[in-house]
Amino acid sequence: LPAAVLLKDTKLMDVKLGQLGSWLAMRDFTPSGILGGMRRGYNKYYNKYINVRKGGLGGISMLLAGYIVLSYMWSYSHV
Amino acid sequence: VLHTTRPLHTTQQSLAPVPPLPEKGGEVRHGVIPEEFFQFLYPKTGVTGPYMLGTGLLLYLLSKEIYVVNHETAAAACILSVIVYAIKKFGPNVAAFADKLNEEKMASALAMKNEAIETLQKAIDEEKKEQWRVEGRTYLFDAKRNNIAMLLETNYRERLLMVYNEVKKRLDYQVAMQTLKRQKEQEHMIQWVEKNVVQSITPQQQKESIAKCILDLKALSKSAHAAV
């Protein structure tokens, strides 16, 4: 029997679908927690796609594509 | 309160040397979709899975008019085609240029590091030479000691000579005094004797001596006459 890991310590990819709601509820939603989450996300993306020796096109093009999609979704009512 | 018994730096963690950057970034397919998505769907749907998903999503968006086709669609299509063409044509050039910039930066940093190492090595060698030089200080002090001994000797001899000269001068003075005194005594005695003798010749004696001299002369002349 594997050692039981607390739900709040599991990563997102390991959470079962039924536990998703409780897992989300347990996350840190204080301002410092949100900032910490944003900082973590930024660092992960930056270190994976941009802070390398031979960075390719994908690093910025993914950001641009995401920006396009997001702005389309926000201005959908005008379309 | 400083805990002097607390050990410092027990872990190996340190900021240098910094681990090198990874060579290539995360793989991205078609420029917008990360490779992890394809790997995520591979076990269940194989290679064509994500493409099927993409086509189905696109058709759903178009048919349900969630994505409306309007003038912006045409503009987007033109712009995207131009962008893709430009990237395909000039991509490698830009990549080579960026690599060259990076190379230059690395080369200058390496050069600085090597220079620093060389300077430090030279400093080490200089230091060793200085240490070797210090070992020669015994010779230096011997030479200095010899110099001082010579100075002392010279000084002593000079003074010795001076003493000798002074003593000789004093002795010469004494000798000169004695000779002078004897000379003076002699002269004085001679003068005194002469004076007394001249005084003692009385007129009576003078006449007698003159008469005797005349008689002697006559006798001599007679003998001389006879000789001639």
Side-chain angles (χ1 to χ4, degrees):
Chain A
L1 202 68
V5 186
L6 289 172
L7 184 58
K8 79 177 176 75
D9 286 334
T10 57
K11 298 184 176 188
L12 179 57
M13 300 304 277
D14 297 331
V15 169
K16 304 272 186 291
L17 216 58
Q19 298 167 320
L20 196 58
S22 46
W23 184 88
L24 262 177
M26 259 194 263
R27 296 298 288 171
D28 192 5
F29 286 114
T30 64
S32 66
I34 289 180
L35 268 168
M38 286 167 71
R39 165 68 38 190
R40 272 198 310 264
Y42 172 80
N43 277 350
K44 237 168 88 168
Y45 186 82
Y46 181 74
N47 284 334
K48 178 141 186 227
Y49 289 106
I50 302 186
N51 197 13
V52 293
R53 283 229 186 119
K54 286 166 157 284
L57 179 66
I60 34 162
S61 79
M62 276 201 287
L63 284 171
L64 284 173
Y67 169 69
I68 290 174
V69 167
L70 208 62
S71 57
Y72 184 82
M73 285 187 347
W74 280 341
S75 56
Y76 185 64
S77 52
H78 297 282
V79 179
Chain B
V1 177
L2 183 64
H3 297 278
T4 49
T5 53
R6 181 170 63 94
L8 298 169
H9 294 298
T10 42
T11 64
Q12 281 291 95
Q13 183 182 27
S14 71
L15 287 176
V18 175
L21 286 176
E23 259 312 301
K24 295 176 76 60
E27 277 284 325
V28 172
R29 220 193 265 208
H30 300 300
V32 281
I33 308 168
E35 189 70 31
E36 279 83 11
F37 186 64
F38 290 83
Q39 298 303 324
F40 179 62
L41 291 179
Y42 181 75
K44 288 285 182 340
T45 57
V47 179
T48 53
Y51 293 110
M52 285 293 114
L53 178 64
T55 316
L57 259 178
L58 193 61
L59 288 175
Y60 164 70
L61 288 175
L62 282 171
S63 64
K64 285 279 199 183
E65 290 266 311
I66 297 177
Y67 177 69
V68 181
V69 175
N70 50 9
H71 60 288
E72 283 181 15
T73 312
C78 298
I79 292 175
L80 271 177
S81 61
V82 166
I83 288 179
V84 165
Y85 173 71
I87 286 178
K88 283 268 166 5
K89 192 141 185 308
F90 300 117
N93 286 349
V94 172
F97 177 70
D99 281 343
K100 195 155 71 76
L101 285 179
N102 255 5
E103 275 301 306
E104 280 169 21
K105 276 193 222 166
M106 285 276 293
S108 72
L110 262 176
M112 264 199 325
K113 179 181 102 158
N114 284 344
E115 218 180 278
I117 286 181
E118 254 178 64
T119 346
L120 286 172
Q121 188 66 34
K122 237 187 279 185
I124 288 176
D125 289 339
E126 291 277 313
E127 185 63 33
K128 286 227 161 63
K129 199 144 66 140
E130 287 299 314
Q131 282 178 345
W132 168 80
R133 279 203 190 127
V134 159
E135 287 171 17
R137 66 187 166 211
T138 50
Y139 301 119
L140 182 70
F141 288 143
D142 277 344
K144 283 194 176 205
R145 233 175 271 133
N146 280 349
N147 275 358
I148 289 177
M150 241 191 287
L151 272 178
L152 285 172
E153 184 75 24
T154 318
N155 212 354
Y156 171 71
R157 285 196 189 176
E158 268 180 6
R159 290 191 191 169
L160 211 58
L161 186 67
M162 192 165 74
V163 161
Y164 164 77
N165 281 344
E166 290 291 308
V167 167
K168 187 153 178 303
K169 272 199 297 197
R170 274 156 186 70
L171 289 177
D172 282 345
Y173 170 73
Q174 294 296 327
V175 164
M177 276 284 285
Q178 280 181 352
T179 45
L180 180 70
K181 196 160 168 201
R182 194 166 296 145
Q183 210 180 346
K184 284 284 181 252
E185 279 176 357
Q186 266 185 346
E187 274 180 27
H188 187 253
M189 226 187 286
I190 290 173
Q191 273 185 351
W192 188 77
V193 165
E194 279 184 7
K195 192 166 79 165
N196 275 4
V197 164
V198 166
Q199 270 181 345
S200 73
I201 300 182
T202 59
Q204 174 61 29
Q205 257 182 330
Q206 222 172 352
K207 275 187 198 154
E208 279 184 17
S209 61
I210 287 177
K212 187 145 192 305
C213 286
I214 291 173
L215 279 174
D216 280 336
L217 273 173
K218 276 185 187 161
L220 272 173
S221 74
K222 272 192 192 135
S223 61
H225 262 264
V228 170

